[in-house]
Amino acid sequence: MALQPRPTKRFFNVGRRPHEVTLKPDGGRQWRRGRVPFTKRHWLAWRGVSNPKTLRRERKLLDKRPLWWTICLGALLVVTPFLSDQAINIAAIFCIFAAINVVWTLTIGTAGIFSLATMAVVGLSGYAAAAANVYLGMPWPLMMPVGALVGFILGGFLAAPSTRLDGLYYALLTLGVAEICRVFVSQIKALAPLNGSINQVGSFIPADWLLQRPGLLLGFYAAFALLLASLLMFRLINSERLGLLLQSAREDEAFSEAVGIDYRRARLWVFILSSAALGAIGAFYAMFYRSISLAVFSLDQLLLLFAMIVIGGLGRSEGAVLGTAIVILIDKGLIGLGPLRIILVTAVMIVVALTAHQGLTGVRGQFRNFRNRKKSESRAARTEKGVR
């Protein structure tokens, strides 16, 4: 009996399977992503994902904050040269105080040490750098290293009580230290004829450009570079080992200590490094204004900084910059209002504190939580067929 040949199988296309694209990426293609200097982190958080609708390999930007940083800071850098002289000066002042607030956020947000001696460190470092330039003949390029060294020493001195005191007690201690620093500088006999100020400080701005448009632009570009340096420092500390140790300790200090995390040492190092950065900013402050006075120690200055942090949001660099922009715009841009602008800053701070849980930068997360809660409530109240 002859064997019958097997019938050939016929395959039919079902759905759109023949048109689907495999999820295997191209092995010969590499993604080139720039990294933040001295870290293993990328500037932009690109991730390879598959689109559930097209089943295609795509690149998705998980964290859009660096992109928004680039857009906003780039817009500031491009638009400022076309502004008036007064607006350029306001933009430079914004960059200086934003840098101070970003570094201060490391202290009170990342390290968790509520220090009110920020302007005291800035002031004493600025006075030390200015005195070295005026009375000792030190050239201005060395003023910032001098200020950073003085800030480092002051940070070590102020960090010691933080291991014993916490919260309100340490805040009151640092507030008293700031007032003592102001009284100390005002009692120096060499500065008495000038009401405690040091003038004719060397600067990166040539004397011929003082109060001229080229000098204002040079001051703005230098202040902008200072802001970028403070943001880079925030990224290097908050997102790397010291910041990660403190973030884990913030969740459960007892567990962190049990597994061998020395969060107290990490907290002190963040405080000392922040103080050194504030010292460098203090020296820049003296060079920018070509003088320094007792106004840098004033309580009004400190309260304005505190308002910037409250309005923007605690613990985030974008909150520090956003709050600084709002307060500087009201305080310097609306100077024609007189004392009413201070009342306006207070009103904005109260409204933000009553409506936003974590400042303006936390509004988006707060709105998402509110929306999800309303969706859950409506889903629970919905009546389905046969079920109540």
Side-chain angles (χ1 to χ4, degrees):
M1 182 178 180
L3 297 176
Q4 298 292 333
R6 292 184 179 182
T8 58
K9 294 182 180 180
R10 296 182 62 184
F11 296 92
F12 298 91
N13 294 330
V14 179
R16 298 180 58 85
R17 294 292 299 178
H19 303 284
E20 292 180 359
V21 180
T22 58
L23 298 180
K24 296 181 181 180
D26 186 5
R29 182 182 178 185
Q30 295 182 354
W31 290 356
R32 300 184 181 276
R33 297 181 293 178
R35 297 180 184 271
V36 180
F38 311 109
T39 68
K40 297 181 180 180
R41 295 182 176 270
H42 300 286
W43 289 105
L44 297 177
W46 288 108
R47 293 295 182 270
V49 297
S50 58
N51 192 321
K53 294 183 179 180
T54 62
L55 296 181
R56 291 183 178 180
R57 190 73 167 173
E58 295 179 349
R59 296 175 66 183
K60 184 178 181 181
L61 186 61
L62 298 182
D63 189 2
K64 299 182 178 62
R65 286 180 297 176
L67 183 61
W68 287 114
W69 274 114
T70 304
I71 294 175
C72 295
L73 294 179
L76 176 64
L77 187 63
V78 171
V79 172
T80 300
F82 300 97
L83 301 177
S84 62
D85 293 351
Q86 182 182 2
I88 294 175
N89 189 37
I90 292 175
I93 294 174
F94 155 72
C95 292
I96 295 174
F97 282 95
I100 294 175
N101 282 327
V102 167
V103 177
W104 192 22
T105 301
L106 279 175
T107 302
I108 60 180
T110 303
I113 300 176
F114 196 75
S115 172
L116 296 179
T118 302
M119 294 310 296
V121 176
V122 172
L124 283 181
S125 302
Y127 265 96
N133 174 259
V134 175
Y135 299 112
L136 300 180
M138 180 177 293
W140 66 264
L142 298 179
M143 290 178 61
M144 291 191 69
V146 170
L149 178 61
V150 174
F152 185 86
I153 297 174
L154 291 175
F157 176 75
L158 293 173
S162 65
T163 59
R164 298 290 183 180
L165 300 177
D166 196 7
L168 179 61
Y169 295 101
Y170 186 77
L172 293 176
L173 173 65
T174 52
L175 185 62
V177 169
E179 182 63 19
I180 291 174
C181 292
R182 186 190 68 82
V183 174
F184 168 75
V185 174
S186 64
Q187 296 296 324
I188 298 178
K189 294 183 178 180
L191 303 179
L194 300 175
N195 294 325
S197 63
I198 300 178
N199 301 319
Q200 303 299 324
V201 180
S203 176
F204 54 88
I205 302 176
D208 298 337
W209 290 5
L210 186 63
L211 300 180
Q212 302 296 323
R213 191 172 184 84
L216 295 176
L217 286 175
L218 180 59
F220 164 73
Y221 289 135
F224 186 83
L226 183 70
L227 175 59
L228 292 181
S230 65
L231 290 172
L232 179 60
M233 178 182 177
F234 184 91
R235 182 75 178 267
L236 292 177
I237 293 180
N238 189 64
S239 301
E240 292 302 316
R241 187 174 184 274
L242 288 176
L244 295 177
L245 289 177
L246 294 176
Q247 290 175 16
S248 62
R250 194 178 299 118
E251 298 294 334
D252 191 346
E253 292 186 357
F255 175 78
S256 301
E257 191 173 3
V259 297
I261 297 178
D262 192 357
Y263 64 91
R264 292 186 178 87
R265 183 180 180 182
R267 182 180 296 173
L268 294 180
W269 269 113
V270 171
F271 185 83
I272 293 174
L273 293 176
S274 301
S275 299
L278 289 174
I281 296 174
F284 182 89
Y285 185 94
M287 288 190 293
F288 179 81
Y289 287 103
R290 304 184 70 93
S291 65
I292 191 168
S293 64
L294 294 175
V296 71
F297 297 106
S298 66
L299 184 61
D300 300 340
Q301 198 78 270
L302 179 62
L303 292 180
L304 280 179
L305 289 177
F306 187 72
M308 297 171 188
I309 294 294
V310 172
I311 292 174
L314 181 64
R316 297 182 178 182
S317 57
E318 56 267 26
V321 175
L322 179 60
T324 304
I326 294 175
V327 174
I328 290 297
L329 182 62
I330 296 175
D331 185 44
K332 303 298 182 182
L334 304 178
I335 197 169
L337 296 178
L340 290 178
R341 68 186 191 278
I342 305 300
I343 299 177
L344 183 58
V345 171
T346 305
V348 172
M349 182 174 60
I350 293 176
V351 170
V352 171
L354 292 177
T355 56
H357 295 165
Q358 297 179 354
L360 293 179
T361 54
V363 170
R364 184 180 180 184
Q366 185 178 347
F367 175 74
R368 284 183 176 178
N369 294 333
F370 173 78
R371 183 182 59 186
N372 294 335
R373 186 173 68 251
K374 288 299 181 182
K375 285 183 178 180
S376 300
E377 292 176 357
S378 62
R379 192 181 303 113
R382 187 183 305 130
T383 302
E384 298 182 1
K385 185 178 180 180
V387 180
R388 286 192 175 275

